[in-house]
Amino acid sequence: MKGHPLPARPPGLFAHGAAFLAATARYARARFTLAGVELREAGGRYGLAVALVLGALFVAVLGYVFLVITVVFAIAAAFSADHAWLWVMAAAALLHLAGAAALAWFAWTRLQAGAFPATLAEFRKDQQWLTLLAKKP
C-alpha cells in the first residue's frame, strides 16, 4: 500500500496547546501595544497637568510670601519704630514655624496609626486559622 496516503489524524493535545499559546501571545502583544499607545498619550496629558499644577503651586507660594512680607511691613509701619519690621518679621516666622511643627506632628500621629487596619486584622485572623488548621491531625 505504498500508493495510498495515510488518513489525516486530528491534531493532538500538543498542537492545540501550541495554537492556544500562539493565540494568547498575539492577544497579549496587541493589548500591550494598545496600552503603550495610550500610555504615551496619557503620559503627555498628565505630565502637562502635573507641570501646570506644580507651576501654580510655585506661584501661589510666591504670592503667599509676598503677602506675608506686605503684612509685616504694614504692621511695622503702624508702630513707626526704626527696626519694628525685624520684630514683626521674627514673630511671623515663629508663627509659621509653630504652624509647620503642628502640621508635622499631626501628620506623624496619622502615620503612626498605620494603613489598612481592618485588612491587616483579617489577615491575622486568617493566619491564626491556618496555623490552627495545620496543627490538627
Side-chain angles (χ1 to χ4, degrees):
M1 300 216 142
K2 283 188 174 183
H4 298 294
L6 293 174
R9 293 177 51 191
L13 183 63
F14 182 75
H16 284 295
F20 174 73
L21 288 177
T24 303
R26 285 191 305 272
Y27 178 80
R29 187 177 327 125
R31 293 301 180 247
F32 286 133
T33 302
L34 177 63
V37 169
E38 289 183 335
L39 181 64
R40 282 190 293 278
E41 290 177 4
R45 187 174 331 129
Y46 291 122
L48 178 62
V50 167
L52 290 173
V53 166
L54 290 176
L57 184 62
F58 178 73
V59 171
V61 167
L62 281 179
Y64 180 73
V65 168
F66 290 138
L67 179 65
V68 168
I69 290 172
T70 302
V71 169
V72 162
F73 279 102
I75 293 172
F79 289 116
S80 70
D82 287 339
H83 299 290
W85 67 272
L86 287 172
W87 296 109
V88 177
M89 187 67 85
L94 288 175
L95 198 70
H96 280 86
L97 289 174
L103 289 173
W105 177 79
F106 186 67
W108 181 255
T109 58
R110 288 292 192 175
L111 288 174
Q112 293 300 317
F116 309 108
T119 302
L120 291 174
E122 288 299 318
F123 281 145
R124 283 189 205 102
K125 288 178 190 176
D126 292 345
Q127 185 179 16
Q128 289 173 353
W129 178 75
L130 290 171
T131 303
L132 289 175
L133 191 65
K135 289 181 181 179
K136 287 186 178 180

